[in-house]
Every structure is written in C-alpha cells, then in structure tokens.
C-alpha cells in the first residue's frame, strides 16, 4: 500500500512538474530573448520574417525557427530602448495604469455595496435580480459589446477611457464573488449590532468588510489581471493610438523591433508575476472561501 501511494505521488509530482514547465517555458524564453541583440534575434527568427514565404518554407521543411535560451552576448540594449529610447512604451504603460486602477477601485466599492444588499438586506425581487446578475456575468464579451458601444456613444464617452472604465466598474463578477463572502459572515454578529442600535453603514464598514478581507484581496487580484491584459475594449472604444494601453502596443510592434518586443513583454509581465508571487495566498484563500455558501 505504501509503495503504491509513493508511486502515485511520484507520478502526480511528475505530471505537475511537466505542466509547470509548459507554463514557464514561454516566460523564460521571452526573458532570454530580451537579453539578446537585435541582430541575434533576427538571425534566430529569420524564418518568421517573410510572411507567406516563411509559412511555405516551414511547411516544406526547408527552414525552422530555432529556440535559443542563452544569448551569445547578453545585453540590456533592448531595455534601454524600451525605457529610455522609446518613450511611447512608458506612456502606454501609464495608460494601462490609468485604466486599470480606477476599474479596481470602482468595482470594489460598487461590488461591496451591492453584495451587502444581496446578502443581508431583505427586499422584493432580491433573488430574481441577483439571478439577472449571474446571467450577465455568464455572457461573453461579444454579446455585451454592441450595447456597451451604443451606451458609450449616447453618453459621449467614445474615444475616452471612460468608455472602458465604467463598464469595468459595474461588472457583475465582483458582486457575485463578494456576496459569497458576505453570506459567510455569521448573522449573529449583525443581529447583535442591530440590537445595540447600529445602522447598516456601521455594520457594513465595521463588521462585514473587515471579515471579507480575503474576498476583497481576491477580487482586486482577479480584476487587475483581467483588465491589465485587455485588448478588445481599447481597440473598439479608443480612437487615438496615443490613448491605447500597453497590451495593445505589444501587438503592433514592427518586424524590425523584435528585441524591443521581447523586452517590452518582459517588463509587461513583471506586475503580473509580482501579484502572483506575493498575493497567491490571498487569491487561493479568497477563491476557496467564496464557495463555502451559495
């Protein structure tokens, strides 16, 4: 029995290790290529440089892309070009921050208030209304794209970051996640506060929110990851290239700037990696606790 258990554990560790390697290899390759010169990168990725001719060559087996992990000569030139020589990178980096930060703050505020109402207030049509929230959460982005576009147009928000920020603030996902947490708050605490004469504002700010810290942290992380990587919304709602976030900039870097593309991608991944490393505990705890009660 012990031998069989050890074999299963070894197989499980091996499979998980292989999956981890599959996820880490693209990031490691991006970082390694960001330390190469433009000439070396052009030599490695020559089969990708000529469009249809490259596809034809690859299909015929005449030419392949070689994956190189160690630069012939490591250089930080690409990072210099991105951070200093190409000011549009930092400009679009701050565009991403200016779009993502208000969405995080606004969605936490709106979702927390709405979740408290759905969890602890008794009003007519509460359950059907919450069911409508769930339905809108399950709809793909393409379904809500046209209504959002029409509303943004009528409000005069097209061409501004507000056309992206406001739909992000009023996303139904945050309401759903925080409601699950607030349903887990013992009702006896709230009842005792009401007996002492506390109002809803006091109960919400002093009792419910402090007990939902993990949920707020998990929501902040998930909203950050989702909106930091957005591409479709800026392409549709923003008219000027100068307004675009960094996620769009990475997709339009030219063929002659592959080194810059790798360096920019490495810097772009840094906030996400820091969040994954330092906030993993809160994310896992938040997702686990959110499923305790439905």
């Amino acid at each position: 029995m012990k031998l069989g258990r050890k074999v299963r554990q070894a197989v499980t560790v091996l499979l998980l290790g292989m999956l981890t390697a599959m996820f880490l290899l693209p990031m490691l390759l991006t970082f390694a290529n960001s330390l190469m010169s433009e000439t070396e990168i052009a030599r490695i990725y020559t089969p990708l440089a000529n469009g249809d001719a490259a596809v034809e060559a690859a299909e015929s087996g005449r030419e392949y892309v070689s994956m190189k992990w160690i630069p012939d000569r490591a250089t930080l030139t690409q990072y210099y070009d991105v951070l200093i020589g190409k000011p549009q990178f930092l400009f679009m980096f701050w565009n991403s921050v200016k779009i993502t930060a208000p969405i995080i703050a606004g969605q936490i505020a709106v979702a927390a208030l709405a979740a408290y109402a759905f969890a602890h207030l008794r009003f007519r049509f509460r359950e059907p209304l919450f069911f409508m929230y769930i339905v809108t959460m399950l709809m793909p982005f393409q379904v809500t794209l046209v209504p959002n576009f029409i509303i943004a147009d009528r409000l005069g928000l097209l061409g501004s970051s507000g056309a992206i920020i406001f739909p992000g603030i009023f996303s139904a996902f945050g309401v759903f996640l925080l409601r699950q947490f607030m349903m887990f708050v013992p009702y006896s605490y709230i009842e005792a506060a009401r007996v002492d004469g506390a109002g809803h504002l006091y109960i919400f700010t002093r009792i419910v929110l402090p007990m939902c810290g993990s949920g707020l942290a998990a929501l902040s992380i998930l909203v950050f990851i989702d909106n930091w990587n957005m591409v479709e919304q800026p392409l549709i709602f923003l008219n000027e290239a100068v307004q675009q976030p960094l996620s769009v900039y990475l997709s339009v870097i030219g063929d002659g700037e592959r080194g810059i593309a790798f360096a920019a991608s490495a810097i772009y991944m840094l906030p996400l990696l820091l969040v994954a490393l330092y906030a993993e505990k809160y994310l896992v705890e938040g997702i686990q606790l959110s499923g305790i009660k439905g």
Side-chain angles (χ1 to χ4, degrees), residues 182-204:
M182 294 184 183
M183 292 288 289
F184 183 61
V185 175
Y187 187 74
S188 58
Y189 292 2
I190 299 175
E191 193 174 35
R194 287 177 178 171
V195 170
D196 291 339
H200 286 296
L201 181 61
Y202 183 91
I203 295 172
F204 174 70

Side-chain angles (χ1 to χ4, degrees), residues 199-264:
H200 286 296
L201 181 61
Y202 183 91
I203 295 172
F204 174 70
T205 57
R206 300 296 182 89
I207 298 176
V208 176
L209 279 186
M211 298 186 68
C212 296
S214 298
L216 295 172
L219 178 61
S220 301
I221 296 168
L222 293 173
V223 173
F224 169 73
I225 293 173
D226 185 36
N227 291 279
W228 185 257
N229 293 321
M230 70 169 62
V231 175
E232 296 91 348
Q233 295 94 322
L235 289 175
I236 294 170
F237 293 111
L238 300 180
N239 301 324
E240 302 294 333
V242 71
Q243 298 175 303
Q244 302 288 356
L246 188 57
S247 53
V248 176
Y249 171 71
L250 293 177
S251 65
V252 297
I253 296 178
D255 289 337
E257 299 179 315
R258 292 191 187 91
I260 292 177
F262 282 116

Side-chain angles (χ1 to χ4, degrees), residues 157-168:
L157 296 175
L158 280 183
S160 68
S161 57
I164 301 173
I165 293 173
F166 284 109

Side-chain angles (χ1 to χ4, degrees), residues 59-245:
E59 291 177 348
S60 63
R62 297 195 306 268
E63 205 166 9
Y64 297 92
V65 173
S66 59
M67 297 174 62
K68 191 172 183 181
W69 298 95
I70 301 178
D72 293 337
R73 183 179 178 183
T75 176
L76 297 177
T77 303
Q78 314 297 352
Y79 288 96
Y80 175 85
D81 290 339
V82 167
L83 297 175
I84 299 177
K86 301 282 186 179
Q88 65 264 34
F89 173 85
L90 289 180
F91 189 79
M92 291 186 173
F93 180 90
W94 287 113
N95 282 349
S96 294
V97 174
K98 287 187 290 186
I99 291 175
T100 305
I103 292 178
I104 296 174
Q107 188 170 152
I108 289 176
V110 172
L113 290 169
Y116 177 79
F118 281 120
H120 296 295
L121 297 184
R122 301 292 183 265
F123 56 90
R124 196 176 183 185
F125 302 121
R126 185 185 68 165
E127 297 304 325
L129 183 59
F130 183 71
F131 178 75
M132 293 177 60
Y133 266 73
I134 301 300
V135 172
T136 59
M137 184 182 70
L138 297 177
M139 289 182 180
F141 168 74
Q142 291 77 8
V143 174
T144 59
L145 174 61
V146 174
N148 285 342
F149 187 90
I150 294 174
I151 293 173
D153 185 29
R154 292 186 176 180
L155 294 177
L157 296 175
L158 280 183
S160 68
S161 57
I164 301 173
I165 293 173
F166 284 109
I169 288 176
F170 295 98
S171 172
F173 173 74
V175 179
F176 168 77
L177 182 67
L178 292 183
R179 175 186 177 271
Q180 304 304 101
F181 271 89
M182 294 184 183
M183 292 288 289
F184 183 61
V185 175
Y187 187 74
S188 58
Y189 292 2
I190 299 175
E191 193 174 35
R194 287 177 178 171
V195 170
D196 291 339
H200 286 296
L201 181 61
Y202 183 91
I203 295 172
F204 174 70
T205 57
R206 300 296 182 89
I207 298 176
V208 176
L209 279 186
M211 298 186 68
C212 296
S214 298
L216 295 172
L219 178 61
S220 301
I221 296 168
L222 293 173
V223 173
F224 169 73
I225 293 173
D226 185 36
N227 291 279
W228 185 257
N229 293 321
M230 70 169 62
V231 175
E232 296 91 348
Q233 295 94 322
L235 289 175
I236 294 170
F237 293 111
L238 300 180
N239 301 324
E240 302 294 333
V242 71
Q243 298 175 303
Q244 302 288 356

Side-chain angles (χ1 to χ4, degrees), residues 18-83:
M18 293 174 61
L19 288 174
T20 302
M22 290 174 60
F23 284 107
L24 288 179
L25 283 178
M27 292 187 290
L28 296 176
L29 183 63
T30 299
F31 179 71
N33 289 338
S34 70
L35 299 176
M36 299 178 185
S37 64
E38 187 66 44
T39 303
E40 185 177 0
I41 291 175
R43 185 175 69 251
I44 296 172
Y45 294 98
T46 298
L48 298 179
N50 300 316
D52 296 336
V55 174
E56 182 182 352
E59 291 177 348
S60 63
R62 297 195 306 268
E63 205 166 9
Y64 297 92
V65 173
S66 59
M67 297 174 62
K68 191 172 183 181
W69 298 95
I70 301 178
D72 293 337
R73 183 179 178 183
T75 176
L76 297 177
T77 303
Q78 314 297 352
Y79 288 96
Y80 175 85
D81 290 339
V82 167
L83 297 175

